[in-house]
Amino acid sequence: MNRHEQALLKAQSTVEKNKKFVKRYAKKRQWYHFMPECGWMNDPNGLIYYKGKYHLFYQFYPYGPYWSAMHWGHAISDDLLNWEYLPVALAPSEPYDDCQKGGIFSGSAVTGKDGRLYLFYTGTVISDDKVIKSQCMAVSEDGINFTKYQNNPIINPTMFVESDPKVWYKENKWYMIVGGEENHKGRAILYVSDDLEKWSYFGTILKSDGSLGAMWECPDLFSVDGSDIMVICPMHLGEQKCSYLVGNMDYKNRVFIPSAKGEVDYGFDYYAPQSFEDPKGRRIQFAWANAWDWMPWWKGFGTTAQEKWCGAMNIPREIRIKNNIPRFIPIKELSSLRENHRYYDKFYIDKDAKTKINAGDGIHCEILATLSLTDTSAESVIFKLRCADDVQGKNNRFTKIIFNLCSKTLSVDRNYSDDWSTGIKSCKLRFLDKDKLLIHIFMDTVSVEVFTDDYATAFSTNIYPEEICKDIYVETDGGSASFLSFETWGIKQVSF
Ligand code: FRU
């Protein structure tokens, strides 16, 4: 057995031991947001449809619910919702990737011309207090067992501290984008290859002028509906953590020319997204439903670590572009999980009034509403989720989603959500439709995801309330609200 096989075996036997506890005792298990069997999970990696299955890899630490020596966990699915865990795919084992404060960092997957599955990742080690990052490759015949390439690294460390390779094929060439930095300004760098093994520098296709952050993580570059989109995660940029740039990738001049920019998700918990094209031609994005400590609202990693797990994915979204504006639409497969449909006809709430809503069990549910902007006089329409009047002698619990039609903002207040969460975060509403506002909310055990503005605005947040917090209210402030339609569903638990 070689070093990598030994490291995988050790990791997998720990998973086998700890997963039973999480399955049996973890009360905050998600119902349909993918989470690890046990231990720690962050970024989605290596998303691909290979040999008839969707594959999802992820940053994984099997030995405890905290970040440390990164492995790649692995799961497969037929529908992007129900997942089967597979054995740990990659473990730190070599001089270029074996480090307690490093390991197998994020990356991507492609099917090679020989039909094999190729994974690309950043091998990260710390030596003399210096972070050394190189790009590495691993290969598999069956999509389950992976061998590290004998000539790793395929790209040696550079002064730009590059990481998170995303690889794609275009006009007889393989391209790889990596994020990096120079003088505390983020940059995206492209490499090119004929055979996936030998890579050469292609160009620095976009650099931050200072307004786009200190270092870029997890860059993604793809085409949708005739436009190119680059997604970057800029570090140390205050409230902006995951930005998109719509534009044109000019391969001839080796530059990306942006024409519009915005945030992929404005919430507290959406980071390191990765996308892939599925067999139906859809561009689908997954992201890690959490954040790192350089983000201003960061406050640890929630309360699930007590249950021996930490981290989940956001729901998969299909990306479309309309009028140069990306839309992030929950994949339509999610509707197969709906149950217990309720339809409120001509839903109306009086001035400064409050109405209780029924939606599934009030914890795992979906709300889809269309607010009439022409018939609504309220200054704010407020969705109060996960409410309970008195939790074991403590204060009231609620999470507020506030649509303020005067200041044109969407805000999420989680100061009263639980004993752990804090903060209010806001973003601008665009009112892409002048007459009505779409409001689509997904709730899971510890997640709330809000979509509005025709899916151009998304806002994801984790909260950790007790099980008894399950009332939902809609309130108005400063006037009445009129909905053209108002529907709710419960959401069934998937298998993983
Ligand atoms: C993003 C990130 C990546 C890195 C990985 C390490 O969340 O910081 O840049 O590859 O996580 O786990």
Side-chain angles (χ1 to χ4, degrees):
M1 216 189 285
N2 66 30
R3 269 201 308 267
H4 187 219
E5 286 161 349
Q6 282 171 27
L8 288 171
L9 201 66
K10 185 167 164 229
Q12 193 55 36
S13 57
T14 304
V15 172
E16 297 305 325
K17 222 169 47 216
N18 293 347
K19 70 180 189 189
K20 293 184 201 99
F21 179 90
V22 179
K23 195 127 213 183
R24 215 171 289 159
Y25 302 112
K27 286 193 171 156
K28 293 196 161 68
R29 269 186 74 84
Q30 299 274 48
W31 275 26
Y32 60 96
H33 285 76
F34 180 82
M35 56 174 267
E37 284 178 284
C38 60
W40 166 271
M41 184 185 86
N42 55 289
D43 315 354
N45 295 151
L47 290 167
I48 193 165
Y49 189 81
Y50 180 71
K51 290 194 177 161
K53 296 276 180 196
Y54 290 106
H55 289 248
L56 165 63
F57 299 84
Y58 47 95
Q59 290 285 279
F60 184 43
Y61 185 63
Y63 300 103
Y66 47 86
W67 189 95
S68 194
M70 278 292 109
H71 295 55
W72 276 30
H74 188 191
I76 49 169
S77 169
D78 290 322
D79 60 3
L80 295 166
L81 298 173
N82 292 279
W83 293 93
E84 179 191 336
Y85 295 106
L86 291 181
V88 178
L90 297 173
S93 61
E94 308 304 314
Y96 53 81
D97 65 18
D98 191 5
C99 177
Q100 208 57 31
K101 289 186 179 156
I104 318 279
F105 275 19
S106 284
S108 58
V110 295
T111 307
K113 287 182 184 161
D114 56 6
R116 297 194 294 168
L117 183 57
Y118 288 78
L119 303 183
F120 297 87
Y121 66 92
T122 302
T124 304
V125 289
I126 309 229
S127 173
D128 296 336
D129 280 341
K130 262 188 76 188
V131 183
I132 300 173
K133 292 184 172 188
S134 55
Q135 314 317 319
C136 305
M137 184 167 85
V139 192
S140 170
E141 303 276 349
D142 59 4
I144 300 174
N145 300 292
F146 294 87
T147 309
K148 291 179 186 170
Y149 179 54
Q150 74 271 17
N151 294 333
N152 271 344
I154 50 171
I155 300 174
N156 286 319
T158 74
M159 63 180 285
F160 303 128
V161 206
E162 294 158 19
S163 70
D164 310 333
K166 176 87 193 299
V167 178
W168 69 97
Y169 188 67
K170 191 179 165 67
E171 287 158 11
N172 285 321
K173 299 259 179 235
W174 296 99
Y175 291 93
M176 175 196 288
I177 188 170
V178 289
E181 64 104 23
E182 189 184 18
N183 300 327
H184 304 296
K185 287 183 185 142
R187 53 169 61 209
I189 296 147
L190 244 58
Y191 288 88
V192 66
S193 169
D194 289 321
D195 57 8
L196 294 173
E197 293 180 25
K198 289 178 285 316
W199 291 86
S200 48
Y201 177 76
F202 183 75
T204 295
I205 54 164
L206 192 70
K207 285 189 217 175
S208 167
D209 55 4
S211 68
L212 269 178
M215 158 91 193
W216 293 353
E217 299 197 319
C218 301
D220 197 359
L221 179 59
F222 49 89
S223 304
V224 174
D225 297 323
S227 299
D228 297 325
I229 305 188
M230 190 188 296
V231 173
I232 50 171
C233 293
M235 286 169 72
H236 307 298
L237 203 56
E239 303 252 304
Q240 290 170 43
K241 62 183 186 325
C242 178
S243 307
Y244 67 76
L245 299 136
V246 181
N248 174 36
M249 177 60 217
D250 180 346
Y251 284 87
K252 200 162 144 254
N253 294 306
R254 305 182 178 200
V255 288
F256 182 85
I257 305 148
S259 55
K261 67 175 188 193
E263 285 290 281
V264 176
D265 187 295
Y266 292 86
F268 294 96
D269 296 296
Y270 196 91
Y271 195 69
Q274 181 174 108
S275 74
F276 74 112
E277 193 181 304
D278 87 339
K280 296 174 186 137
R282 298 180 297 177
R283 177 58 54 173
I284 292 173
Q285 185 182 61
F286 277 74
W288 172 42
N290 249 145
W292 292 118
D293 60 353
W294 57 80
M295 297 175 196
W297 59 86
W298 187 83
K299 188 176 180 280
F301 286 109
T303 59
T304 65
Q306 296 149 10
E307 304 185 343
K308 296 191 197 287
W309 70 281
C310 189
M313 293 296 164
N314 288 93
I315 51 175
R317 302 169 182 185
E318 180 180 356
I319 305 177
R320 300 300 307 261
I321 295 230
K322 209 164 115 192
N323 303 331
N324 224 31
I325 301 171
R327 321 288 164 130
F328 303 97
I329 308 161
I331 56 163
K332 64 174 189 317
E333 285 87 337
L334 280 157
S335 60
S336 69
L337 304 178
R338 287 170 170 170
E339 61 182 6
N340 209 352
H341 184 214
R342 286 193 173 85
Y343 184 82
Y344 297 77
D345 202 19
K346 296 214 181 60
F347 190 65
Y348 178 83
I349 306 170
D350 260 338
K351 183 172 185 297
D352 302 323
K354 167 171 165 175
T355 301
K356 191 167 178 198
I357 300 296
N358 289 312
D361 63 0
I363 298 174
H364 312 95
C365 56
E366 185 182 345
I367 301 169
L368 178 59
T370 311
L371 181 68
S372 164
L373 295 173
T374 47
D375 291 337
T376 293
S377 61
E379 190 174 307
S380 293
V381 178
I382 303 158
F383 286 69
K384 265 177 131 179
L385 313 172
R386 300 301 303 268
C387 307
D389 280 348
D390 185 33
V391 181
Q392 290 154 9
K394 295 174 196 156
N395 290 336
N396 290 349
R397 292 274 197 254
F398 55 85
T399 299
K400 274 207 243 180
I401 320 280
I402 307 156
F403 293 87
N404 188 314
L405 306 178
C406 291
S407 65
K408 300 188 175 166
T409 52
L410 161 65
S411 308
V412 174
D413 179 350
R414 58 176 191 179
N415 279 323
Y416 303 91
S417 299
D418 49 63
D419 278 337
W420 181 86
S421 308
T422 48
I424 302 179
K425 203 164 179 262
S426 304
C427 66
K428 276 277 166 218
L429 285 169
R430 302 180 191 218
F431 295 112
L432 293 175
D433 187 324
K434 296 279 165 281
D435 297 332
K436 49 187 197 282
L437 184 69
L438 167 118
I439 297 171
H440 200 168
I441 300 174
F442 286 83
M443 292 161 63
D444 201 343
T445 319
V446 296
S447 302
V448 177
E449 292 187 56
V450 182
F451 299 87
T452 186
D453 263 340
D454 213 4
Y455 299 102
T457 303
F459 200 113
S460 299
T461 290
N462 299 333
I463 49 170
Y464 301 92
E466 296 80 353
E467 275 164 284
I468 55 162
C469 308
K470 50 185 168 195
D471 289 345
I472 300 175
Y473 296 95
V474 184
E475 295 179 6
T476 50
D477 189 11
S480 64
S482 175
F483 288 88
L484 299 168
S485 63
F486 200 108
E487 292 173 88
T488 70
W489 292 268
I491 297 191
K492 283 184 278 204
Q493 193 164 10
V494 302
S495 64
F496 50 62

